[in-house]
């Protein structure tokens, strides 16, 4: 009995003449992941990716789990492959499905006959396969409206495929199909979610983290690197850039009005991020800001921080409330790490009364007290890179 993985397309099918471009990106990502799990043959046909293990050393379970986090796939399932005859399909059902249906109380069968030369119609296949299941699996019943498991039989050009209980995958479109963006990754809940959301829309996500050692600890940095590792199956990121803001924050503290500390720091962060983004061939910045969540995320504050950069800034969480962001964080597995109580650079030298509706002219007057470009360049030139794997 041969078992393979079937991955179902989502939004890719709507891409018209650009569809081959998206398919090629999806195949490339799946082939890259397949190398980590042994030998697999990966090919596409009829809006499905077929992933076939080449030998007994191929880790089909590991590859299946990896497929679920690949953007561009809406569902994946392990399936039994058999010859395109009714008898072969019935034998596959008897041999392959009892384990899949163990403990299941209700089911229904859906058949798809892509090869119209097959001697049975789709309804006939469903009816006959349903009868075989009822004869083979004890205690199970048919429920056409709300079944616990849907059994599917696909009769395609070369073979037939029998499977049950496909898993929901990541959806979206393939990473890299929408260019490259730089995520400002903090230790909080929001920024990992922002990176995930932009990757889902096809953006290749690079990572930049700011620290303030010794005001922030090595453990705080490692927490952020762990967040980077958690989202990397979605973003396909292999390293993170870390830049220290310590000297910049101390200079702001010593020379500027306390009420403007946070906004001045945000402008430094955005300018340095744009410098790194251009160096890394990124076309946009990504932040986890949500409108009105904190003092630096009011409309006025966002306006003056945007003013320092020329490239687009994507804020996919901007209209979400905290509960909605937490829901996504739990889904992708970053929430428990994000809430670990380690300090963040943005909590260093926090003003007692931060400006929520700043005027750009007054902010620029405070900024003029600093050698802004020299400080930004020094921080950028001293960046370091951390491999995530």
């Amino acid at each position: 009995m041969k078992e393979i993985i079937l991955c179902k397309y989502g939004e890719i099918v709507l891409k018209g003449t650009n569809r081959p471009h998206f398919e090629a990106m999806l195949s490339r990502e799946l082939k890259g992941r397949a190398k980590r799990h042994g030998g697999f043959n990966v090919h596409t046909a009829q809006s499905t990716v077929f992933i076939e293990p080449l030998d007994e050393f191929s880790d089909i379970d590991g590859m299946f789990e990896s497929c679920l986090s690949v953007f561009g796939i809406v569902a994946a399932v392990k399936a039994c492959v058999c010859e395109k005859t009714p008898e072969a399909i019935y034998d596959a059902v008897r041999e392959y499905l009892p384990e899949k249906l163990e403990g299941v109380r209700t089911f229904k069968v859906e058949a798809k006959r892509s090869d119209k030369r097959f001697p049975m119609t789709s309804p006939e296949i469903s009816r006959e396969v349903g009868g075989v299941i009822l004869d083979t699996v004890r205690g199970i019943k048919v429920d056409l409206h709300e079944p616990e498991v849907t059994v599917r039989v696909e009769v395609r050009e070369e073979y037939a495929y029998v499977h049950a209980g496909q898993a929901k995958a990541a959806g979206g479109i393939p990473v890299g199909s929408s260019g490259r963006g730089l995520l400002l990754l903090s230790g909080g809940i929001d920024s990992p979610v922002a990176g995930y959301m932009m990757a889902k829309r096809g953006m290749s996500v690079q990572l930049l983290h700011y620290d303030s050692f010794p005001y922030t600890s090595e453990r705080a940095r490692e927490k952020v690197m762990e967040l980077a590792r958690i989202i990397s199956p979605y973003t396909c990121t292999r390293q993170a850039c870390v830049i220290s803001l310590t000297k910049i924050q101390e200079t702001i503290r010593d020379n500027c009005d306390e009420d403007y500390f946070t906004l001045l720091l945000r402008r430094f962060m955005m300018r340095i991020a744009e410098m790194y983004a251009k160096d890394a061939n990124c076309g946009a910045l990504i932040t986890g800001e949500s409108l009105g969540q904190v003092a630096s995320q009011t409309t006025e504050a966002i306006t003056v921080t945007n003013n320092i950069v020329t490239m687009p800034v994507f804020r996919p969480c901007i209209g979400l409330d905290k509960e909605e962001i937490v829901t996504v964080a739990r889904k992708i597995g970053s929430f428990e790490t994000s809430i670990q109580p380690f300090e963040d650079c943005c909590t260093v030298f926090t003003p007692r009364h931060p400006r929520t509706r700043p005027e750009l002219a007054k902010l620029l007057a405070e900024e003029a007290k600093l050698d802004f470009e020299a400080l930004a360049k020094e921080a950028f030139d001293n960046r370091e890179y951390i491999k995530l794997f």
Side-chain angles (χ1 to χ4, degrees):
M1 181 181 65
K2 182 178 180 181
E3 188 176 46
I4 72 169
I5 300 170
L6 303 179
C7 296
K8 306 295 185 177
Y9 287 0
E11 199 174 328
I12 292 177
V13 300
L14 305 176
K15 296 304 179 181
T17 57
N18 291 321
R19 178 168 166 172
H21 169 70
F22 289 87
E23 288 180 322
M25 286 194 160
L26 179 59
S27 292
R28 185 161 57 246
E29 175 60 25
L30 287 168
K31 288 175 181 178
R33 296 190 182 214
K35 293 177 182 178
R36 307 173 209 165
H37 299 286
F40 289 88
N41 177 37
V42 179
H43 66 278
T44 63
Q46 298 174 312
S47 302
T48 301
V49 183
F50 297 76
I51 304 175
E52 305 176 29
L54 298 180
D55 52 48
E56 68 272 20
F57 301 107
S58 302
D59 179 11
I60 192 168
D61 292 332
M63 184 61 196
F64 178 75
E65 289 300 319
S66 186
C67 289
L68 298 181
S69 61
V70 176
F71 288 121
I73 298 172
V74 295
V77 68
K78 285 181 278 188
C80 174
V81 185
C82 63
E83 296 297 324
K84 291 194 304 180
T85 66
E87 293 74 18
I89 291 172
Y90 302 154
D91 288 343
V93 168
R94 293 186 187 100
E95 182 180 356
Y96 185 68
L97 288 185
E99 182 180 349
K100 303 291 184 182
L101 298 177
E102 185 176 354
V104 174
R105 294 172 297 178
T106 60
F107 79 101
K108 74 173 180 178
V109 180
E110 291 182 353
K112 180 179 180 181
R113 187 186 60 151
S114 298
D115 183 355
K116 302 306 180 185
R117 296 169 298 176
F118 191 76
M120 300 170 65
T121 65
S122 295
E124 289 171 341
I125 297 170
S126 297
R127 183 175 62 251
E128 294 301 319
V129 168
V132 173
I133 293 173
L134 290 171
D135 290 340
T136 306
V137 181
R138 297 179 60 182
I140 198 168
K141 296 181 180 180
V142 174
D143 185 339
L144 299 179
H145 303 290
E146 295 183 354
E148 290 183 33
V149 173
T150 298
V151 172
R152 291 181 171 87
V153 179
E154 301 182 36
V155 180
R156 293 179 176 261
E157 292 303 315
E158 293 188 44
Y159 299 101
Y161 303 89
V162 176
H163 53 87
Q166 68 182 15
K168 185 178 180 180
I173 55 179
V175 170
S177 59
S178 298
R180 292 161 64 93
L182 178 64
L183 173 66
L184 279 66
L185 181 64
S186 72
I189 299 171
D190 305 338
S191 58
V193 169
Y196 163 84
M197 293 174 70
M198 292 310 302
K200 187 172 185 177
R201 297 314 306 155
M203 181 157 278
S204 176
V205 178
Q206 307 302 302
L207 303 178
L208 171 60
H209 173 61
Y210 293 109
D211 74 7
S212 301
F213 186 81
Y215 301 104
T216 56
S217 66
E218 185 63 32
R219 185 63 188 87
R221 175 193 285 202
E222 180 52 37
K223 168 189 170 180
V224 177
M225 293 305 106
E226 180 59 26
L227 287 172
R229 295 182 190 101
I230 289 170
I231 65 172
S232 64
Y234 299 102
T235 61
C236 307
T237 314
R238 296 289 172 265
Q239 71 172 13
C241 177
V242 179
I243 294 178
S244 173
L245 293 177
T246 303
K247 182 175 180 179
I248 289 173
Q249 289 178 285
E250 290 176 336
T251 305
I252 293 173
R253 176 199 61 190
D254 295 340
N255 293 276
C256 299
D257 184 336
E258 178 187 348
D259 292 357
Y260 288 92
F261 282 4
T262 299
L263 293 170
L264 290 168
L265 180 64
R266 290 293 299 176
R267 282 170 64 85
F268 270 108
M269 293 169 72
M270 298 296 280
R271 170 58 67 84
I272 296 167
E274 185 174 53
M275 294 166 67
Y276 177 63
K278 291 178 179 178
D279 186 71
N281 296 315
C282 295
L285 305 179
I286 307 166
T287 77
E289 291 163 301
S290 172
L291 188 63
Q293 185 169 229
V294 295
S296 64
Q297 295 175 18
T298 63
T299 300
E300 294 85 353
I302 289 173
T303 298
V304 297
T305 55
N306 261 17
N307 178 267
I308 198 70
V309 297
T310 58
M311 65 173 48
V313 182
F314 293 137
R315 297 176 169 91
C317 299
I318 196 71
L320 303 181
D321 62 30
K322 202 65 178 183
E323 183 177 345
E324 292 169 317
I325 296 171
V326 166
T327 297
V328 179
R330 291 186 186 278
K331 173 184 173 182
I332 65 177
S334 61
F335 179 73
E336 294 300 329
T337 300
S338 291
I339 62 174
Q340 292 177 7
F342 296 101
E343 61 284 312
D344 189 277
C345 71
C346 293
T347 64
V348 177
F349 308 134
T350 303
R352 289 166 293 181
H353 305 289
R355 295 278 179 165
T356 58
R357 290 175 171 78
E359 297 178 25
L360 181 59
K362 293 182 179 179
L363 182 60
L364 292 176
E366 291 297 315
E367 198 169 88
K369 300 175 182 178
L370 311 170
D371 192 343
F372 188 94
E373 295 301 332
L375 285 167
K377 184 177 185 305
E378 182 180 357
F380 174 70
D381 289 345
N382 286 289
R383 64 193 180 279
E384 61 176 305
Y385 298 96
I386 297 178
K387 289 186 177 181
L388 302 177
F389 300 98

